Amino acid sequence: MISSIVITLIGPDRSGLVEEIARTVASGGGNWLESRLSHLGGQFAGMVQIEVAEDKVAELKSALEGLASHGLEVVVCDATTADMEDCDQVALVEIVGHDRSGIVSQISSAFAAFKVNVERLDTERKSAPMTGEALFEAKARVCIPSEVDLGNLSDKLEEIASDLMVDVTVEVEK
């Protein structure tokens, strides 16, 4: 039987770190399925989902926790099959505007009020092309429950966008 685990890792970024993690997964009998790896503020941060034979789970978990001796904080969890029955529609939400405090807080509050699950959120601050001002960009993949009216959610996001002076677009995945 096959088990699935999810690991999160954080530690000082350096060359060869991903190879070290991948080698540990492979040598422990794991199969690397999916990952999100990033360099943030001088740190390496990542999440990886791994499949492994049930009789190898303990051995792999121990090997992964051994990465702590290489400067990584590692958390290992059993993967769950989240019940997303409430997910009626998946939408991509993009937010672009001048950077300011509170953008993520206000948008995520609207999602929470509508019981929208944020499946993925990528944010970035960069210089605007013409002015050089700080520009904030966010892209989210969200799961919208069947009881939520997409028009009402879009109206709320537009209201927030107007207050924050950012552009928000919502596009339902087909």
Side-chain angles (χ1 to χ4, degrees):
M1 189 160 189
I2 300 292
S3 291
S4 184
I5 61 173
V6 174
I7 61 171
T8 60
L9 312 110
I10 189 164
D13 201 3
R14 61 180 165 75
S15 132
L17 195 52
V18 173
E19 186 275 333
E20 191 173 315
I21 298 163
R23 185 172 12 92
T24 302
V25 169
S27 67
N31 180 29
W32 187 301
L33 297 179
E34 219 179 322
S35 62
R36 306 286 184 273
L37 308 174
S38 193
H39 173 93
L40 295 169
Q43 298 292 309
F44 167 86
M47 299 179 303
V48 183
Q49 182 177 5
I50 302 162
E51 270 185 344
V52 62
E54 201 169 277
D55 63 337
K56 296 269 190 180
V57 171
E59 179 184 330
L60 179 57
K61 284 183 177 181
S62 178
L64 290 165
E65 289 165 353
L67 291 170
S69 66
H70 298 275
L72 286 175
E73 292 181 40
V74 180
V75 176
V76 181
C77 300
D78 293 326
T80 61
T81 52
D83 185 10
M84 296 305 288
E85 285 180 22
D86 290 341
C87 187
D88 186 53
Q89 298 179 81
V90 174
L92 302 176
V93 179
E94 292 190 33
I95 303 149
V96 179
H98 293 290
D99 186 33
R100 62 181 283 193
S101 180
I103 296 173
V104 174
S105 175
Q106 288 191 31
I107 298 291
S108 62
S109 289
F111 289 151
F114 282 87
K115 295 186 175 29
V116 170
N117 184 41
V118 178
E119 293 183 343
R120 183 171 178 158
L121 174 64
D122 296 313
T123 65
E124 181 179 24
R125 185 173 82 168
K126 58 186 180 181
S127 295
M130 302 291 262
T131 64
E133 292 181 69
L135 188 65
F136 178 81
E137 292 184 0
K139 293 181 182 179
R141 183 176 194 272
V142 299
C143 182
I144 303 169
S146 57
E147 68 271 7
V148 172
D149 179 273
L150 186 58
N152 291 341
L153 175 60
S154 293
D155 289 347
K156 182 62 176 175
L157 293 174
E158 285 298 326
E159 179 185 315
I160 293 168
S162 179
D163 288 345
L164 293 172
M165 298 186 329
V166 297
D167 292 323
V168 174
T169 59
V170 179
E171 183 178 311
V172 175
E173 276 190 354
K174 302 218 178 346

